[in-house]
Amino acid sequence: MSEDEYNLDYIIEKSFEEAIEYFNKNGIKVEGLKLIILESPELLIQKYGKDRINENIGGRYDSGTIYIIKSHIKNFADKVSKSMNESSIGNLFTISRNEVLWPVYKNDNDIEKAIAKADAESILIHEIGHRIVGNGEWKASVFEFLVYFYKNELYKYPEVYKIMERNTKRCEKFIQEKNQAFYLPYSLGFCFANDIIYAHENILNKNKESPKLNIKDTIEKFKHFSEEDGTKITKMVNKLLKDYVNIKSTLNIKANMLSCILEKLPNIMDNVNS
């Protein structure tokens, strides 16, 4: 599907409006933001220079203005929709952003449009995040994943936690990364958000109809972290959660084995007594 078959400008503008509405609804103050949609990053490169603007950039925040690059979203949606080995779990499928799995709700069969919307929304949230939590890609990335998850009420889908468990294993790779790849702060931010959401909503929350985590309070806490502190706490939380997931998996295997034995118990006893 080409961009002509879905209105990307509308998707971006609508996602921006919905994000602002979500922040206001949750007591997160965002005022005076301006959205500018650009066809390509050329104007940003001319304004800021090639040393500050990557040609693959999706968005940028500067002095109250959110710049969104249409070509990035279009290319991402086109590439992912054509190359993805669709990993569907129930009503969700996944896309990889900085090598972390993002759950996307499949509300119709228009996969490319769903990918474009998810990408546009996440970029917008990330750039708005710089307005709220300040500079630093780890903080903005935590903000991005958290807001995307709760805004779309993904905590209501039991299958989402299978995706998040897969992320805990992926995140171990970034935590052990020796080379400071450009995407590392983004990936670690996504990982931290993934892990604290899983802990709050899958372990602590017995009622999936409403979220356990208070997003406003959580944002207030982590926005004061330094990037270095963020990396340290990401490592600590991921290790604990990975251990929990492994133990849970082992217990599930044992439970299944026990269930099989109990089902076959009459036959086993007959063989013993014969």
Side-chain angles (χ1 to χ4, degrees):
M1 173 182 287
S2 68
E3 184 206 333
D4 294 335
E5 296 178 57
Y6 60 88
N7 190 330
L8 187 51
D9 285 86
Y10 174 79
I11 288 174
I12 295 169
E13 290 167 0
K14 185 69 173 175
S15 296
F16 180 72
E17 292 171 3
E18 289 175 351
I20 299 300
E21 182 181 350
Y22 175 82
F23 295 133
N24 291 334
K25 180 181 176 182
N26 286 275
I28 302 170
K29 190 175 180 180
V30 182
E31 294 178 340
L33 278 180
K34 180 181 179 182
L35 173 66
I36 295 179
I37 302 173
L38 300 175
E39 291 291 334
S40 75
E42 282 305 313
L43 287 176
L44 292 182
I45 292 173
Q46 291 175 19
K47 182 176 181 179
Y48 298 102
K50 286 186 177 181
D51 57 327
R52 296 178 62 190
I53 300 296
N54 186 296
E55 63 181 9
N56 296 316
I57 191 172
R60 184 177 178 86
Y61 169 77
D62 184 22
S63 304
T65 299
I66 306 291
Y67 297 96
I68 297 296
I69 314 301
K70 282 177 63 177
S71 60
H72 170 92
I73 298 169
K74 179 181 180 300
N75 292 338
F76 179 83
D78 183 60
K79 179 181 178 181
V80 173
S81 63
K82 287 180 179 177
S83 63
M84 70 184 292
N85 179 13
E86 187 182 328
S87 177
S88 294
I89 306 177
N91 291 317
L92 304 174
F93 68 94
T94 61
I95 58 175
S96 176
R97 302 190 73 246
N98 290 308
E99 299 190 42
V100 176
L101 297 176
W102 283 59
V104 180
Y105 179 67
K106 185 169 52 178
N107 57 359
D108 54 38
N109 293 322
D110 196 341
I111 298 297
E112 185 176 342
K113 181 179 177 182
I115 294 170
K117 185 179 187 306
D119 193 47
E121 186 175 35
S122 59
I123 293 170
L124 280 162
I125 293 169
H126 183 97
E127 300 308 329
I128 295 172
H130 283 301
R131 170 70 171 262
I132 296 171
V133 301
N135 295 326
E137 299 304 342
W138 179 85
K139 288 191 288 188
S141 298
V142 175
F143 181 90
E144 176 186 350
F145 196 100
L146 278 173
V147 173
Y148 173 85
F149 187 93
Y150 285 103
K151 178 180 174 297
N152 290 290
E153 298 186 331
L154 292 169
Y155 57 86
K156 292 182 177 180
Y157 299 92
E159 58 266 38
V160 79
Y161 301 106
K162 295 293 183 183
I163 297 170
M164 302 185 92
E165 287 176 3
R166 288 162 61 190
N167 274 337
T168 62
K169 297 176 181 178
R170 286 185 170 224
C171 289
E172 187 178 11
K173 167 191 170 184
F174 307 123
I175 288 169
Q176 296 174 349
E177 188 74 58
K178 300 297 183 184
N179 298 321
Q180 292 297 311
F182 77 91
Y183 61 80
L184 197 57
Y186 300 87
S187 300
L188 288 173
F190 296 161
C191 288
F192 179 69
N194 177 89
D195 292 353
I196 64 171
I197 291 170
Y198 183 95
H200 278 85
E201 308 305 346
N202 197 45
I203 300 174
L204 302 176
N205 190 0
K206 305 305 179 185
N207 173 21
K208 298 295 190 289
E209 289 303 310
S210 59
K212 181 79 172 177
L213 182 143
N214 183 303
I215 192 164
K216 180 183 178 182
D217 291 348
T218 302
I219 290 169
E220 282 298 318
K221 290 175 183 176
F222 78 74
K223 80 177 186 180
H224 299 293
F225 291 176
S226 68
E227 295 289 286
E228 183 180 356
D229 289 340
T231 300
K232 288 178 181 177
I233 196 169
T234 300
K235 292 178 180 179
M236 180 181 69
V237 171
N238 183 259
K239 184 180 185 305
L240 290 171
L241 187 59
K242 184 167 62 69
D243 290 345
Y244 170 86
V245 171
N246 288 338
I247 292 170
K248 177 188 170 191
S249 178
T250 301
L251 289 175
N252 286 339
I253 292 171
K254 297 292 185 182
N256 289 334
M257 291 172 62
L258 183 59
S259 177
C260 288
I261 290 173
L262 292 175
E263 287 178 4
K264 297 176 181 178
L265 193 57
N267 293 333
I268 294 173
M269 294 305 298
D270 288 343
N271 291 333
V272 170
N273 294 328
S274 61

